[in-house]
């Protein structure tokens, strides 16, 4: 079974038959991920923006004590995290590395701007989210925190969003950096989703809120949303 993006739907369509060959390679990428993982969602968005068809193999982070902790999965991602992506004969982890590889090897809209200053701004924002905010709500970290996990997550999201709001006021146009969608936008939307899960008042950050609302209207962000993935539990589907 394989999945492709339907042109007029909010979710991924499941279809049968033989996959069409990708423009860059005859073998479709395989994404090992989890429906609610923000890092997996980043990769799904990138594939969608590039129009790349791919297979998904769910890795349930909770079931069976965490399927990412098996020895079999450890061969794909030694950090035992999602995502892992098999593409062009190599297995990549770390979502930003995957996104940049996709951008460099697939046609379609740029995910990093051609202008060096804007490209640096995109990387700065992406790193701020991917290194400075998201890891502090990582499932492994939250499990270690215990009863105070919500307060912990709220503190570090607010701390990160205060910095991010200040930066985005300077860099944003229609999107995070100017008027073209970039890797920064790919990182932003899943992080806002996480913030809302932990009951952070995103209204305190008007630039972040505006950008997120704009991006969620774009098809690539809709089809990649956690609410409509192959492994999304029925009660969380929209």
């Amino acid at each position: 079974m394989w999945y492709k993006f339907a042109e007029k739907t909010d979710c991924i369509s499941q279809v049968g038959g033989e996959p069409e060959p990708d423009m860059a390679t005859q073998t479709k990428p395989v994404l090992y991920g989890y429906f609610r993982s923000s890092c997996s969602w980043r990769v799904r968005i990138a594939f969608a923006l590039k129009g790349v068809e791919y297979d998904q193999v769910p890795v349930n982070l909770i079931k069976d004590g965490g399927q990412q902790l098996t020895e079999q999965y450890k061969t794909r991602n030694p950090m035992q995290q999602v995502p892992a992506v098999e593409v062009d004969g190599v297995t990549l982890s770390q979502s930003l590395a995957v996104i940049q590889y996709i951008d460099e090897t697939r046609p379609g809209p740029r995910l990093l701007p051609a202008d060096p200053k804007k490209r640096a701004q995109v990387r700065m924002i992406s790193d701020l989210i991917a290194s400075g905010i998201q890891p502090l709500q990582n499932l492994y970290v939250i499990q270690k925190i215990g009863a105070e996990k919500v307060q912990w997550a709220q503190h570090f999201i607010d701390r990160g969003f205060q910095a991010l709001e200040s930066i985005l006021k300077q860099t944003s146009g229609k999107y995070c950096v100017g008027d073209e969608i970039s890797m920064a936008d790919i990182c932003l939307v899943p992080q806002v989703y996480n913030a809302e899960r932990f009951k952070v008042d995103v209204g305190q950050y008007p630039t972040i809120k505006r950008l997120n609302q704009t991006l969620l209207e774009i098809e690539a962000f809709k089809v990649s949303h956690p609410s409509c993935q192959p492994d999304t539990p029925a009660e969380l589907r929209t």
Side-chain angles (χ1 to χ4, degrees):
M1 194 63 65
W2 59 290
Y3 301 89
K4 74 175 183 178
F5 297 109
E7 291 182 358
K8 295 182 179 179
T9 180
D10 287 350
C11 292
I12 293 176
S13 296
Q14 181 173 311
V15 297
E18 293 297 322
E20 298 175 1
D22 180 79
M23 293 179 66
T25 175
Q26 294 297 310
T27 303
K28 288 190 298 178
V30 179
L31 168 63
Y32 295 82
Y34 183 58
F35 78 102
R36 202 155 57 183
S37 156
S38 58
C39 299
S40 301
W41 188 2
R42 293 172 196 158
V43 175
R44 296 196 301 262
I45 296 168
F47 278 139
L49 287 169
K50 286 287 193 176
V52 175
E53 292 183 357
Y54 62 98
D55 289 319
Q56 292 203 56
V57 177
V59 179
N60 194 303
L61 302 185
I62 299 178
K63 187 178 179 181
D64 304 323
Q67 294 175 348
Q68 76 280 15
L69 302 178
T70 65
E71 287 301 315
Q72 180 181 9
Y73 184 73
K74 189 176 180 180
T75 63
R76 295 190 173 91
N77 187 339
M79 277 293 284
Q80 297 177 291
Q81 299 172 336
V82 291
V85 177
E86 293 176 354
V87 56
D88 301 341
V90 65
T91 300
L92 300 173
S93 57
Q94 300 304 320
S95 61
L96 299 192
V98 175
I99 291 166
Q100 291 180 73
Y101 180 79
I102 294 167
D103 195 35
E104 292 165 357
T105 60
R106 266 63 181 175
R110 286 181 178 270
L111 304 182
L112 284 96
D115 178 76
K117 291 181 181 178
K118 288 185 176 181
R119 190 161 63 245
Q121 289 174 327
V122 166
R123 287 177 170 145
M124 173 179 65
I125 293 165
S126 301
D127 283 343
L128 189 158
I129 295 169
S131 299
I133 306 177
Q134 183 273 325
L136 292 161
Q137 307 111 60
N138 184 283
L139 179 63
Y140 183 83
V141 173
I142 290 296
Q143 287 174 335
K144 293 292 185 182
I145 298 301
E148 301 297 317
K149 62 184 180 182
V150 174
Q151 295 91 330
W152 167 278
Q154 289 173 343
H155 171 78
F156 285 105
I157 293 171
D158 275 321
R159 181 175 183 270
F161 274 16
Q162 288 167 16
L164 185 59
E165 176 74 12
S166 177
I167 291 169
L168 291 173
K169 283 180 179 178
Q170 299 176 49
T171 64
S172 66
K174 186 175 181 180
Y175 305 117
C176 284
V177 178
D179 296 325
E180 294 183 359
I181 295 174
S182 70
M183 184 168 67
D185 302 289
I186 291 172
C187 291
L188 179 71
V189 169
Q191 184 54 59
V192 174
Y193 176 83
N194 275 355
E196 292 173 341
R197 282 183 60 214
F198 286 107
K199 310 301 181 184
V200 171
D201 179 12
V202 180
Q204 301 174 81
Y205 312 106
T207 309
I208 291 173
K209 182 177 180 179
R210 171 181 65 82
L211 292 168
N212 183 65
Q213 290 175 335
T214 298
L215 290 162
L216 284 175
E217 294 300 315
I218 295 169
E219 189 69 8
F221 290 81
K222 290 181 179 181
V223 298
S224 58
H225 195 277
S227 64
C228 58
Q229 298 311 303
D231 58 328
T232 305
E235 66 272 17
L236 297 179
R237 289 184 172 272
T238 57

